[in-house]
């Protein structure tokens, strides 16, 4: 027991929180990747040129997967041991995951792949 | 010069077009980069292999002795050196190295049999001495004392050790005669009493070298591995000190790197072609050579092997999540855990190698500008040879694990983890890869002759040649040799392949792809290649020794291995920085090309390679690289975590990138299933991330905790691995695995099938020579003042 919580619940939720932190870091990184180096004012362009834009999307996509994973882990743990303190802890972690997930999903949507689709092709 | 590349192509090597090195000009081309690069690369490589040579000598002169005879204190023989060698063959033939491990090396479901024997023997001795503190001290002394007499070649076991040997022979007899399959082994895996005796002799020898002190030292032959309090095994001073030193080496290396990037960064890395514009040719305009068209079948074989590998991986994983039944079926009768894992590992090598070879066949004509007659027939021979080796060796491994082939049989049984295929197949595979090298030579012959030896074509050929070369070294590991020696050579293949030569070959191939596409200048690509040789060889060659810290090698292997392998992380950091900036290369060309860039998903897979190189190889590799971590961690979940993130993340994704690159030209534009390439890209990456972060990493961390707090023996026990928390984690990976297989691999199968169906458009051969001109992939228009 760690305070009112079982050690296992603390570990699972702690790990899930760690995943959220990694996801946020990846998202930050995605912002850097999606900007070509040495491009001063260009970096303020709405959409950086491909493939920067899509590399950014890749990192953001992985980040979002980590958030989903964190939520899954926490839910699996609650199902395994549905005690009151565990549920409270899980609810807090899930709330954090929801906030992070919303934010990252928004940013993922705002990062277009930016692949220059030629007009002549029908795809 | 290639005609039609626009006006004003300036003189001198710097102004050559990027679309092929070209031939037929009859002139000799000089070295594109400074001679210093070659000198530095040679120096680093020669130094690395010189030290490796010394370490090889030390391996032979300082490995733990295999006694001629092991006897009890009354001189009664217990077992002989031959029994140990034979026992090792029995161990390997039964596929036990793909189930559990010895000296930390092997599979992770079964126990580490070295730690297993040591714990059981020491516990037996403790009971024999009546328990209590006095008995503990006595056991410790008995196991640590080295009673081997080098003159007579006789090792004397104490009475308690000898009795333990008898008791453990009986223990393993019952263990391997078990008619049930709930350990994941075949029922009655080994029943012959003579084989059990030899097997126990082999395990007893590994436990002896793990506890008996090396002459003149206060630690055992294995640097006191495994952690076993009963015999006083804890991390040694060397293990701790060299861990600290290697950490410093890493930090200093990264610091130096960033300093260098700051100072010379402008000259390094992939830089896009400036001040020129490129028109990518539409795949429909690219007419292929006969062998290039034949590679469609390579890529189909590649994805089918990949599919089989992942399905077997699923079966392997199922054993870990639910050992006793496979959805109600008794799978272990036919496909025991160790056979599934053997095939899973072998196929991971086969499909990746097949993709590399196919990509080589596809790229070589582009480099040479033409393809000689008869190349197609050779491509088919190569593919047939690979298919025969793959099927033949997998069948042989099945027969061996089912006990139908004699241990150590040349045709039918080898079964070292990663070098599972029997020797004859190993030789044939080396032969196949050599045939491939010959094929490369045929195509590149003229180019090589008319070009400087230090330029890209030679680098491509030499790094390609190294692939069969390094693989052949694995033949030095023979099933009956001293385990320490076999492990040394085995890791030349396992490590030097993936952490040095394949990285290098990959860089050359990717460099060529971009040079062919006209987006990078050949000179710039060449600088990157040399930088790679230097950085990878600096750490990666001697770094091989990070696998043999505890395999019975003298302590210098541990020291040098820890120090140099820490340096390996440096290029991974760098190449990620670089990979992220190589991504800038497409940008300009995109904007300026009048035709679309055809390789969206191949490039995205390369972006993924950069990501996994950093995370899977760099971060997850370094996580387990310090000797003091490895001491507790070896053969547990964190190794699986690193192995999957790096093997699949780097070489798997790369193989897919190569496939998609070639398939783009094999499938007509109107039929190209861009959507499925995208689905596969996301599914493979998210699936792999899920596998690592949802299961392997947390599981590995938990197991490491267990190993340090409870003990290595405990952390590797089946009781621990089938505990409820672990089982929950194992099940958690299911969604990721499903996504990986269904969303990631199946679409690739479809794309490869389309490749076989269409196989591109064939170029007309030259009526005189019979050679086929290679296509150009882009048109580069150089401005007048290009430099
Ligand atoms: C793309 C590059 C790499 C690949 C494909 C790769 C692959 C692998 C594989 C498959 C294993 C398991 C070997 C076995 O079963 O015995 C392994 C083990 C290991 N790797 Fe890597 N690796 C890479 C890079 C690195 C790097 C950069 C480091 C550290 C600096 C590293 C450190 C280790 C260590 C210490 C082990 C031994 C773990 C054990 O035996 O339990 N690897 N690697
Ligand atoms: Fe390695």
């Amino acid at each position: 027991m760690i305070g009112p919580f079982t050690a296992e619940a603390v570990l699972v939720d702690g790990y899930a929180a760690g995943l959220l932190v990694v996801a946020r870091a990846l998202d930050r990184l995605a912002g850097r990747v999606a900007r070509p180096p040495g491009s001063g004012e260009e970096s303020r362009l709405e959409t950086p040129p491909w493939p920067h834009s899509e590399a950014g999307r890749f990192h953001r996509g992985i980040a979002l997967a980590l958030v989903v994973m964190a939520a899954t882990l926490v839910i699996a743990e609650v199902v395994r041991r549905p005690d009151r303190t565990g549920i409270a802890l899980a609810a807090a972690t899930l709330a954090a995951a929801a906030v992070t997930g919303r934010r990252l999903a928004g940013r993922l949507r705002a990062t277009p792949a930016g692949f220059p689709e030629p007009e002549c092709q029908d795809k | 010069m290639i005609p039609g590349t626009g006006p004003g192509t300036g003189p001198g090597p710097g102004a050559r077009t990027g679309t092929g090195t070209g031939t037929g000009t009859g002139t000799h081309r000089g070295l594109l980069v400074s001679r210093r690069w070659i000198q530095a690369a040679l120096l680093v490589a020669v130094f690395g292999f010189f030290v490796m040579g010394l370490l090889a000598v030390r391996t032979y002169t300082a490995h733990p002795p295999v006694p001629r005879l092991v006897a009890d204190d009354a001189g009664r023989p217990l077992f002989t050196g031959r029994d140990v060698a034979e026992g090792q063959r029995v161990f390997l033939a039964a596929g036990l190295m793909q189930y559990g491990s010895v000296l930390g090396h092997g599979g992770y479901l079964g126990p580490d049999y070295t730690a297993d024997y040591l714990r059981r023997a020491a516990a037996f001795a403790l009971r024999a001495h009546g328990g209590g503190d006095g008995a503990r001290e006595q056991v410790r002394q008995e196991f640590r004392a080295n009673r081997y007499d080098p003159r007579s070649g006789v090792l004397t076991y104490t009475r308690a050790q000898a009795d333990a040997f008898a008791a453990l022979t009986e223990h393993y007899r019952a263990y391997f005669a078990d008619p049930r399959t709930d350990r994941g082994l075949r029922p009655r895996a080994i029943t012959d009493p003579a084989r059990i005796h030899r097997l126990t002799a082999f395990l007893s020898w590994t436990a002896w070298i793990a506890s008996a002190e090396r002459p003149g030292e206060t630690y055992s032959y294995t640097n006191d591995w495994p952690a076993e309090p009963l015999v006083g095994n804890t991390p040694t001073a060397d293990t701790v000190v060299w861990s600290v030193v290697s950490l410093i080496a890493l930090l200093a290396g990264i610091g130096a790197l960033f300093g260098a990037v700051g100072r010379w960064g402008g000259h390094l890395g992939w830089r896009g072609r400036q001040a020129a514009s490129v028109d990518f040719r539409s795949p429909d305009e690219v007419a292929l050579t006969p062998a290039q068209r034949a590679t469609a079948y390579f890529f189909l074989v590649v994805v089918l092997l990949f599919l089989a590998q992942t399905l077997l991986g699923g079966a392997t994983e199922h054993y870990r999540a639910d050992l006793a039944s496979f959805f109600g079926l008794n799978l272990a009768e036919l496909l025991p855990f160790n056979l599934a894992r053997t095939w899973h590992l072998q196929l991971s090598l086969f499909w990746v190698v097949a993709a590399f070879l196919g990509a080589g066949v596809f790229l070589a004509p582009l480099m040479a500008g033409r393809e000689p007659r008869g190349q197609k027939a050779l491509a088919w021979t190569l593919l047939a040879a690979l298919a025969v080796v793959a099927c033949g060796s997998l069948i042989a491994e099945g027969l061996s694990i089912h006990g139908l082939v004699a241990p150590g049989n040349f045709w039918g049984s080898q079964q070292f983890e990663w070098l599972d295929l029997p020797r004859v197949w190993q030789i044939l595979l080396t032969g196949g890869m050599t045939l491939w090298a010959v094929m490369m030579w045929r195509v590149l012959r003229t180019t090589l002759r008319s070009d400087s030896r230090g330029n890209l074509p030679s680098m491509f050929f030499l790094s390609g040649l190294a692939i069969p070369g390094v693989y052949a070294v694995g033949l030095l590991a023979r099933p009956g040799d001293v385990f320490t020696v076999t492990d040394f050579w085995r890791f030349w293949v396992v490590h030097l392949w993936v952490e040095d030569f394949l990285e290098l070959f990959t860089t050359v191939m990717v460099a060529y792809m971009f040079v062919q596409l006209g987006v990078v200048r050949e000179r710039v690509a060449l600088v990157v290649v040399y930088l790679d040789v230097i950085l990878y060889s600096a750490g990666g060659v001697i770094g091989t020794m990070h696998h043999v810290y505890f395999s019975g090698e003298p302590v210098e292997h541990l020291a040098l291995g820890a120090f140099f392998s820490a340096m390996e992380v440096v290029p991974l950091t760098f190449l990620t920085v670089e990979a992220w900036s190589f991504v800038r290369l497409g940008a300009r060309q995109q904007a300026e090309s009048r035709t679309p860039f055809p390789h969206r998903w191949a490039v995205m897979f390369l972006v993924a390679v950069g990501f996994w190189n950093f995370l899977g190889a760099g971060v997850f590799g370094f996580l387990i690289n310090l000797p003091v971590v490895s001491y507790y961690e070896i053969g547990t979940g964190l190794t699986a975590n690193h192995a999957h993130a790096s093997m699949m993340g780097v070489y798997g994704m790369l193989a897919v990138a190569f496939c998609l690159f070639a398939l783009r030209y094999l499938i007509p534009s109107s039929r190209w299933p861009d959507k499925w390439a995208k689905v596969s890209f996301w599914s493979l990456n998210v699936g792999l991330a899920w596998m690592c972060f949802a299961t392997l990493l947390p599981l590995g961390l938990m197991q490491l905790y267990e190993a340090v707090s409870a003990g290595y023996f405990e952390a590797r026990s089946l009781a621990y691995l089938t505990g409820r928390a672990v089982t929950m984690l194992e099940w958690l990976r299911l969604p990721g695995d499903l996504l990986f297989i269904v969303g990631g691999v199946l679409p690739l199968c479809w794309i490869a099938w389309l490749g076989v169906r269409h196989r591109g458009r064939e170029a007309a051969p030259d009526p005189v020579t019979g050679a086929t001109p290679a296509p150009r992939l882009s048109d580069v228009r150089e401005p007048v003042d290009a430099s």
Side-chain angles (χ1 to χ4, degrees):
Chain A
M1 297 297 278
I2 301 174
F5 308 109
T6 63
E8 191 179 304
V10 172
L11 278 179
V12 171
D13 287 81
Y15 182 75
L19 286 181
L20 296 181
V21 172
V22 173
R24 288 295 289 268
L26 260 179
D27 179 72
R28 291 275 306 262
L29 188 72
R32 287 226 338 252
V33 178
R35 192 186 312 141
S39 55
E41 76 284 11
E42 274 170 82
S43 62
R44 267 175 271 287
L45 285 180
E46 286 281 295
T47 311
W50 191 86
H52 304 266
S53 45
E54 198 156 21
R57 241 181 111 70
F58 167 61
H59 289 88
R60 294 217 154 106
I62 297 285
L64 202 59
L66 294 187
V67 175
V68 175
M69 197 182 300
T72 313
L73 275 170
V74 171
I75 293 171
E77 169 64 14
V78 172
V79 171
R80 206 165 98 79
R81 294 190 176 199
D83 58 69
R84 193 165 310 151
T85 54
I87 291 173
L89 195 60
T93 319
L94 282 177
V99 170
T100 315
R102 231 183 90 91
R103 199 187 147 92
L104 295 196
R107 293 176 62 135
L108 179 65
R109 264 197 305 276
T111 318
F115 186 74
E117 298 280 355
E119 297 86 53
C120 53
Q121 280 201 348
D122 43 14
K123 277 191 288 298
Chain B
M1 284 299 141
I2 296 157
T5 50
T9 314
R16 286 187 73 94
T17 62
T19 52
T21 44
T23 49
T25 53
T27 54
H28 190 90
R29 192 165 72 140
L31 183 63
L32 288 182
V33 294
S34 159
R35 228 158 238 299
R36 291 274 163 80
W37 283 111
I38 303 191
Q39 288 160 355
L42 273 178
L43 197 71
V44 172
V46 167
F47 170 75
F49 282 100
F50 175 71
V51 173
M52 287 291 269
L54 293 181
L55 291 173
V57 171
R58 288 290 289 157
T59 297
Y60 281 97
T61 54
H63 68 72
V66 179
R68 185 176 58 76
L69 178 73
V70 179
D72 68 7
D73 52 2
R76 276 185 300 262
L78 297 167
F79 57 89
T80 64
R82 276 200 58 152
D83 288 333
V84 173
E86 283 300 319
Q88 181 173 313
R89 287 206 179 97
V90 171
F91 179 83
L92 294 172
L96 293 177
M97 200 173 179
Q98 289 282 13
Y99 173 65
S101 54
V102 276
L103 297 168
H105 290 305
Y108 322 129
L109 178 65
D112 179 80
Y113 287 101
T114 303
D116 193 67
Y117 185 101
L118 191 59
R119 162 64 63 86
R120 290 176 196 280
F124 181 94
L126 186 62
R127 279 194 303 277
H129 293 311
D133 285 349
R136 264 176 198 279
E137 184 49 30
Q138 194 178 351
V139 168
R140 213 183 70 83
Q141 280 177 9
E142 277 184 21
F143 276 76
R144 297 198 71 83
N146 193 335
R147 269 177 251 91
Y148 172 68
D149 177 5
R151 265 165 315 171
S152 64
V154 175
L155 167 64
T156 309
Y157 272 6
T158 62
R159 153 131 306 152
Q161 282 176 316
D163 290 347
F165 176 74
L168 282 171
T169 307
E170 173 53 24
H171 165 78
Y172 288 119
R173 190 201 58 70
Y175 178 98
F176 288 113
D178 193 341
R180 289 165 311 164
T181 56
D182 51 5
R183 284 198 199 92
L185 282 174
R186 190 170 72 88
R188 295 178 205 86
I190 307 174
T191 46
D192 176 4
R195 285 193 184 171
I196 289 289
H197 170 76
R198 291 176 186 146
L199 175 63
T200 313
F202 168 60
L203 300 181
S204 183
W205 175 78
T206 67
W208 174 70
I209 69 170
S211 56
E213 287 176 359
R214 206 174 250 285
E217 307 292 354
T218 54
Y219 50 79
S220 75
Y221 289 103
T222 59
N223 292 309
D224 274 358
W225 188 92
E228 179 50 76
L230 289 181
V231 301
N233 271 3
T234 52
T236 64
D238 284 293
T239 299
V240 174
V241 168
W242 288 104
S243 298
V244 175
V245 171
S246 96
L247 208 53
I248 297 172
L250 171 73
L251 295 178
I254 290 185
L257 176 78
F258 278 100
V261 168
R263 175 99 166 62
W264 294 292
H267 301 283
L268 306 176
W270 302 101
R271 268 169 314 141
R273 184 184 281 275
Q274 307 288 329
S277 70
V278 181
D279 280 333
F280 303 112
R281 293 197 152 191
S282 154
D284 294 340
E285 289 172 33
V286 173
L288 303 176
T289 66
Q292 282 182 320
R293 296 189 68 211
T295 57
Y297 292 97
F298 273 76
F299 300 122
L300 184 66
V301 169
V302 165
V303 293
L304 291 178
L305 294 178
F306 185 22
L307 180 65
Q309 192 228 338
T310 52
L311 291 176
L312 283 161
T316 311
E317 175 51 32
H318 186 90
Y319 277 109
R320 296 188 61 107
D322 181 2
L323 196 48
S325 87
F326 188 82
F327 305 112
L329 208 86
N330 194 351
L331 187 65
E333 296 262 359
L334 269 179
L335 185 68
F337 172 87
N338 48 350
L339 184 54
R341 191 179 190 271
T342 302
W343 284 350
H344 176 63
L345 262 69
Q346 284 294 290
L347 283 168
S348 76
L349 295 183
F350 288 157
W351 78 264
V352 168
V353 167
F356 275 58
L357 299 188
V361 173
F362 191 91
L363 281 177
L366 300 177
M367 299 174 196
R370 57 180 260 292
E371 178 181 286
R373 216 158 79 187
Q375 189 76 352
K376 179 178 157 189
L378 286 177
W380 273 105
T381 313
L382 176 62
L383 186 61
L386 288 178
V388 168
V389 169
C391 295
S393 64
L394 295 183
I395 292 173
E397 286 145 14
L399 294 179
S400 178
I401 285 178
H402 279 286
L404 300 170
V405 184
N409 181 296
F410 178 79
W411 307 92
S413 169
Q414 166 135 292
Q415 317 265 82
F416 285 113
E417 188 204 20
W418 295 108
L419 294 181
D420 305 79
L421 70 186
R423 289 179 82 70
V424 64
W425 302 108
Q426 208 178 355
I427 293 169
L428 285 177
L429 184 55
T430 313
M433 290 187 289
T434 310
L435 168 65
W436 172 81
V438 170
M439 288 172 66
M440 297 297 104
W441 166 250
R442 288 185 77 228
V443 180
L444 293 171
R445 199 168 44 193
T446 355
T447 315
L448 290 174
R449 213 178 296 130
S450 65
D451 203 345
S452 160
R453 289 236 187 87
N455 284 347
L456 264 187
S458 304
M459 294 303 280
F460 172 82
F461 184 67
L462 287 178
S463 57
L465 205 57
I467 294 180
V470 174
Y471 190 78
V473 173
L475 285 166
L476 292 171
R478 284 171 308 192
D481 289 351
V482 182
F483 190 82
T484 305
V485 174
T486 64
D487 232 29
F488 179 82
W489 294 121
R490 193 167 69 88
F491 280 111
W492 275 61
V493 179
V494 179
H495 172 103
L496 274 187
W497 240 31
V498 297
E499 284 166 64
D500 203 40
F501 287 103
L502 277 190
E503 292 270 11
L504 176 60
F505 183 67
T506 296
T507 314
V508 180
M509 294 263 273
V510 173
Y512 244 120
M513 272 161 57
F514 286 123
V515 169
Q516 292 299 325
L517 286 168
V519 292
V520 203
R521 263 181 223 290
E522 195 175 342
R523 209 185 72 78
V524 172
L526 196 56
V527 169
V528 175
V529 168
Y530 275 108
L531 204 62
D532 251 37
V533 179
I534 294 168
L535 289 177
Y536 277 118
S537 306
V541 175
I542 304 173
T544 311
M545 297 300 115
H546 65 182
H547 296 279
V548 295
Y549 293 152
F550 311 115
S551 306
E553 298 278 8
V555 74
E556 53 265 32
H557 288 63
L558 179 145
L560 292 173
F563 182 83
F564 283 94
S565 59
M567 301 292 218
E568 271 181 59
V569 180
V570 175
L572 293 174
T573 329
F574 169 70
L575 287 179
T576 308
V577 173
E578 175 222 30
W580 285 333
S581 55
F582 99 73
V583 165
R584 76 179 109 154
L585 61 87
R588 267 192 93 88
Q589 285 68 43
Q590 275 303 304
E592 285 167 17
S593 173
R594 283 168 289 187
T595 40
F597 181 63
H599 297 298
R600 177 176 183 182
W601 296 107
V603 165
M604 286 314 292
F605 270 103
L606 291 179
V607 169
V609 170
F611 174 78
W612 290 106
N613 226 339
F614 177 68
L615 180 70
V619 176
F620 290 163
F622 193 73
L623 194 64
I624 58 175
N625 194 59
L626 298 182
V628 68
V629 178
S630 182
Y631 182 81
Y632 292 105
E633 186 285 328
I634 188 167
T636 67
L638 285 180
T639 299
N641 178 51
H642 158 64
H644 284 85
S646 59
M647 266 303 270
M648 179 58 219
V650 179
Y651 292 109
M653 299 293 174
L654 199 63
V656 177
F658 286 151
C659 291
L660 291 184
F661 178 82
L663 282 165
R664 195 69 178 82
Y665 295 107
L666 292 162
I667 301 174
S669 280
S670 59
R671 296 291 167 80
W672 173 253
D674 206 60
K675 197 176 64 204
W676 290 118
K678 176 182 182 170
V679 169
S680 172
F681 172 78
W682 281 104
S683 304
L684 288 180
N685 280 289
V686 171
L688 183 59
W690 192 282
M691 181 193 305
C692 292
F693 283 102
T695 298
L696 296 177
L697 178 65
L699 185 77
L701 290 172
M702 275 168 55
Q703 210 179 356
L704 179 61
Y705 189 90
E706 180 80 2
V708 180
S709 65
Y712 187 77
F713 172 87
E714 282 76 6
R716 288 286 306 269
S717 69
L718 217 47
Y720 178 76
L721 288 176
T722 52
R724 288 193 49 194
V726 173
T727 304
M728 178 183 97
L729 278 178
E730 299 282 8
W731 277 113
L732 263 176
R733 57 180 277 184
L734 193 71
D737 291 355
L738 274 178
L739 181 68
F740 190 96
I741 298 175
V742 177
V745 185
L746 287 182
L748 288 179
C749 295
W750 170 243
I751 300 176
W753 165 244
L754 286 180
V756 164
R757 254 204 16 220
H758 298 289
R759 272 176 291 134
R761 200 158 61 74
E762 180 148 342
D766 182 316
V768 183
T769 60
T772 311
R776 272 180 297 131
L777 306 183
S778 65
D779 300 302
V780 180
R781 283 168 284 120
E782 297 270 5
V784 181
D785 59 349
S787 61

